[in-house]
Amino acid sequence: MKIKHIALVVPDLEAAATFYETAFDMKRVGRDDLEMGSGIYLSDGSTNLALLQYKEGHPLAPSSGFAGVHHFGFQVDDLAEAERRIEAAGGKFFFSLGDDPEKKNFEKKFKDPFGVVFDISKSGWEGTGRD
């Protein structure tokens, strides 16, 4: 398993994307505008950085005014085995994002025993490799 995905909640998607593009030479690899909110995805060629804005009231929306790390993601070889290990260690399944585990950006979201949100993906996120 490798950490391949970090998600930040930001107050201004475009300003945050421009900052990471300029400061760290990251490249835009995608954007989503969903019922839950919007995200711009950047990559350094190995790791996906998701810049997120959730709509107020969504279960993943942080408290008002929060900006910072929201969750992180592990790329795994076997989703079922990873889920078994997570739950055996005390983690709790939260929900799936996407409908095809073989596609990029499909995630199974969990909370660790302390409430920290993380996700797992077999195929990873846009801009991530399998290295």
Side-chain angles (χ1 to χ4, degrees):
M1 289 188 229
K2 293 187 179 204
I3 293 178
K4 289 286 198 167
H5 170 67
I6 300 170
L8 305 178
V9 172
V10 298
D12 183 326
L13 285 175
E14 284 299 326
T18 298
F19 170 79
Y20 287 100
E21 288 170 322
T22 303
F24 298 105
D25 201 27
M26 297 189 87
K27 306 294 183 221
R28 287 187 197 216
V29 295
R31 180 181 177 112
D32 277 326
D33 293 294
L34 306 171
E35 186 176 316
M36 69 174 66
S38 296
I40 292 176
Y41 308 102
L42 306 170
S43 178
D44 62 4
S46 179
T47 300
N48 173 280
L49 177 64
L51 305 174
L52 306 174
Q53 278 187 321
Y54 287 99
K55 291 184 179 169
E56 191 172 323
H58 188 274
L60 288 175
S63 61
S64 179
F66 173 84
V69 176
H70 186 271
H71 70 272
F72 57 96
F74 288 93
Q75 192 165 353
V76 300
D77 292 326
D78 184 324
L79 285 171
E81 174 62 13
E83 184 169 2
R84 185 196 64 74
R85 291 181 62 184
I86 290 163
E87 291 177 341
K92 302 284 185 213
F93 175 74
F94 192 30
F95 73 93
S96 292
L97 186 59
D99 56 10
D100 185 348
E102 298 300 319
K103 288 189 175 178
K104 290 271 188 191
N105 295 334
F106 174 86
E107 307 171 332
K108 292 192 88 170
K109 293 196 174 291
F110 295 84
K111 290 184 180 179
D112 76 6
F114 312 103
V116 175
V117 176
F118 66 94
D119 45 53
I120 60 173
S121 174
K122 180 179 178 187
S123 298
W125 296 265
E126 293 300 329
T128 62
R130 287 290 308 172
D131 58 357

